[in-house]
Amino acid sequence: MTQLSVPPAGGARTERDAPPPGPPVRAHGPHRRPTGPHRAATPANRAVRLVCLVLASVVFLYPFFWLVSASLKPTQDVFDNALVPHVWQFGNYAEIWRAVPLLNWIGNSVMVTLAAAVTVTVSSALVAFGFAYFRFPGRNVLFALVIGTMMLPSVVTMVPQYLIWNWLHLASSQVPLWAPNLFGSAFYIFLLRQFFLGLPRELFEAARVDGASYWTLFWRIAAPLCRPALIVTFIFEVQASWTDLVRPLIYLRDPKLYTVPRGLKAVLDQFGDGGEMRWEIVCAASVVVTVPMIVAFFVCQRYFTEGIATTGNKG
Amino acid sequence: MTTTQHARLGDSTRRRSAKVPGRWRRHETWAAYGFISPWIVGFLVFTAGPMIASFVLSFTDYDGIGASHSVGLDNYRHLFQDPAVAKSLANTLLFTVMRVPLSMALALLLAMLLLRVGRASGFFRTLFYLPVMTPSVAVGILFLLLFNGNVGLINHVLGLFGVQGPAWTTDSLWIKPGLVLTSLWSVGSTVIIYLAALKNVPKDLYEAAELDGVGRWNSFRHVTFPQISGTLFFTLIVNTIASLQTFTEAYTAFFGSSNSQTYSNDAALFYVVYLFQQAFQYMHMGYASALAWLLFLVVLLITVIQAKVSKRFVYYEGDQR
């Protein structure tokens, strides 16, 4: 594994680094045309780019509109591909509510997701601080192990983990969906360590001289200063946990305990192919599952994009 | 990297020479282990222990309930004779070979389009990321609906151009291309990563290239590409590992309850789907463990090959990291 390095907090560049909007650079003859991506585009060039982006956006967004539209149609119209339903059948949403314990599933998902995100953020931050601040025997070996577990396919440990929860008589509960997060997660440990490494050492030494404990260094100095990174961790895990199907498939037997993705799969099995062939119900359920994530994204999109940009810059 | 005179938290300079013994250092070591203890416990209980257990299980016929019996190498021998293993492995590799280059090329194209449109960049970046937020189960459902051969939107659009679209969801030849196209929908996070990498390319390199009269394509080939090759390599590895573990979309669309099982198709039998069935539907825990180790070896092998090959073209600035 090569040494990975990520720019420290705030290292991810944002819009500010883009060339300022304004008059394009004049081209002086064929060889004076600036080339690289930083050159300001000519108006024609820019227009072509925008048209391409708008077309791409339509492709990216159309499935959402299609889904919402289909969820409001009567059974026989679902596939008519009209974006505006001929008959608005809002009752589909009421029906899904009656047919399955949707509210129950949403409640389960909220609980599991919050538990997963809170535990993984706190535990990963603790571990990341340990690796960032202290120098101790075995540090490099242990951190290499952290990185190594990121590469490990999750299926290798899937069966024994099930057997552990079975042995603890928790295999049919929601506990296995979030409890492993109490012990941190390699990816977030790596991410948070990069942010902690970006903090000035003097800050901590001054606090040490004043008699601060290591816990104070972490809780009063490091954690508040790295709040954006903690938020990134939190919302990444919210997304991962909210959308996970694998673990609910393995662990949840009782439909009352289902999380929404597991419930949506059950809805598909009941109302989709091989079932009642009532796709508008499946679509309505899909909308209900998707909307919370979209709303969450719009609320915290800055953190999402900066977090992703940072994690991807592992050159 | 930084040239500030402030020592960063990670700097090992200053009085912290490793040779200095003493009470405060031992104190610090204990504190350090205290902070990382959650991970150590988790590693032992949820990673290292299960890995050993999985390895041991792979030589047994454990069914999750009764006693386990050692069966020696039978599970591994069976792996090579099981047609479903060959099928699912081939499906998974084919899917990966199609998906990874396509998604990387598309992401790079979109990122480069976003680069020179000023403020609009943020707006489109947000739109491209939205599908990533969509739960995979919903994506699997959308695949079934939009790619439906008779009434789906995709074939409807193709029909407008006079093209008779294939039966994406039932024709075994077209199921994987359909799933690949569906997966391209969530290319947004790679776009964001590439956009950040492209913005980090030093401007003076382009200015130098420009002074040398280098054209657009050569500027991309000799400046942009080497500068972002590290990021490209990172996404190559991550996307490949993720593709080899494809599960949710295919499972949602083609497997599950006995009802929808009628719709299942060998062409959508991905390796992890088969492993999941063996482990949790047929309760062949021993065999599933052997399957897991085979996947582990495949992932390891592919990662090592990619790392070796990448040495030839990945450029790291200034040093041999």
Side-chain angles (χ1 to χ4, degrees), chain B residues 36 41 82 88 173 190 216 251 266 279 287:
Chain B
I36 66 168
V41 172
D82 185 348
S88 61
L173 195 65
T190 315
R216 199 184 280 193
Y251 185 86
D266 274 357
Y287 189 49

Side-chain angles (χ1 to χ4, degrees), chain A residues 37 39 137 198-199 201 265, chain B residues 8-9 33 115-116 206 255:
Chain A
R39 122 199 106 167
L199 300 174
R201 179 125 218 149
K265 174 63 177 142
Chain B
R8 295 290 177 183
L9 195 54
Y33 280 113
L115 206 54
R116 277 171 257 178
Y206 291 111
F255 303 91

Side-chain angles (χ1 to χ4, degrees), chain A residues 5 13 15 36-39 46 49 57 60 134 137 161 196 198-199 201 239 265 297 301 308 313 315, chain B residues 7-9 14 28 33 46 112 115-117 124 126 129 132 185 199-201 206 252 255 316 321:
Chain A
S5 82
R13 304 230 187 151
E15 287 325 282
H38 296 286
R39 122 199 106 167
R46 208 181 121 100
R49 277 161 193 280
S57 305
F60 274 78
F134 298 102
Q161 282 186 8
F196 286 140
L199 300 174
R201 179 125 218 149
Q239 183 195 8
K265 174 63 177 142
F297 175 66
Q301 54 148 313
I308 293 157
N313 259 351
Chain B
R8 295 290 177 183
L9 195 54
R14 341 205 91 223
E28 192 178 46
Y33 280 113
F46 287 105
M112 292 186 78
L115 206 54
R116 277 171 257 178
V117 292
F124 287 110
T126 303
Y129 193 74
V132 184
W185 193 42
K199 281 181 180 167
N200 273 332
V201 179
Y206 291 111
T252 301
F255 303 91
Y316 290 113
R321 275 193 263 174

Side-chain angles (χ1 to χ4, degrees), chain A residues 98-115:
Chain A
R98 275 197 303 273
V100 293
L102 196 59
L103 200 61
N104 200 345
W105 295 345
I106 292 174
N108 292 338
S109 268
V110 169
M111 299 293 287
V112 166
T113 298
L114 281 181

Side-chain angles (χ1 to χ4, degrees), chain A residues 52-67 294, chain B residues 102-103 106-111 113-114 123-134 139 142 146 153-154 181-192:
Chain A
C52 291
L53 286 171
V54 168
L55 288 177
S57 305
V58 171
V59 174
F60 274 78
L61 291 184
Y62 202 87
F64 287 113
F65 293 118
W66 190 94
L67 189 67
I294 304 289
Chain B
L102 264 179
S103 69
L106 179 67
L108 189 57
L109 183 75
L110 290 175
L113 278 177
L114 283 172
F123 172 74
F124 287 110
R125 194 181 59 177
T126 303
L127 293 191
F128 293 154
Y129 193 74
L130 278 181
V132 184
M133 301 303 297
T134 312
V139 176
L142 271 170
L146 298 181
L153 177 72
I154 303 289
L181 288 175
T182 308
S183 78
L184 291 182
W185 193 42
S186 40
V187 80
S189 54
T190 315
V191 173
I192 291 173

Side-chain angles (χ1 to χ4, degrees), chain A residues 96-109 112 171-174 177 248-267 269-270, chain B residues 257:
Chain A
I96 182 76
W97 223 263
R98 275 197 303 273
V100 293
L102 196 59
L103 200 61
N104 200 345
W105 295 345
I106 292 174
N108 292 338
S109 268
V112 166
S172 301
S173 75
Q174 291 161 347
L177 306 191
L249 272 178
I250 295 174
Y251 292 106
L252 303 180
R253 302 264 172 267
D254 180 356
K256 282 204 183 66
L257 294 180
Y258 281 3
T259 55
V260 277
R262 180 67 189 90
L264 182 56
K265 174 63 177 142
V267 168
D269 290 343
Q270 186 183 340
Chain B
S257 77

Side-chain angles (χ1 to χ4, degrees), chain A residues 134-140, chain B residues 11-26 28-29:
Chain A
F134 298 102
R135 241 134 294 283
F136 53 93
R139 186 180 74 136
N140 292 338
Chain B
D11 292 353
S12 52
T13 54
R14 341 205 91 223
R15 293 148 273 162
R16 289 171 190 272
S17 148
K19 286 167 201 143
V20 182
R23 276 214 346 257
W24 68 272
R25 261 197 64 82
R26 208 171 309 133
E28 192 178 46
T29 301

Side-chain angles (χ1 to χ4, degrees), chain B residues 232-280:
Chain B
L232 289 175
F233 175 61
F234 168 74
T235 53
L236 174 69
I237 297 269
V238 170
N239 279 330
T240 304
I241 295 179
S243 289
L244 292 174
Q245 298 181 70
T246 300
F247 175 82
T248 305
E249 287 88 345
Y251 185 86
T252 301
F254 296 104
F255 303 91
S257 77
S258 53
N259 276 343
S260 66
Q261 200 80 47
T262 54
Y263 208 52
S264 76
N265 194 308
D266 274 357
L269 186 68
F270 286 95
Y271 193 80
V272 175
V273 172
Y274 185 59
L275 197 164
F276 176 87
Q277 290 182 328
Q278 285 297 325
F280 300 106

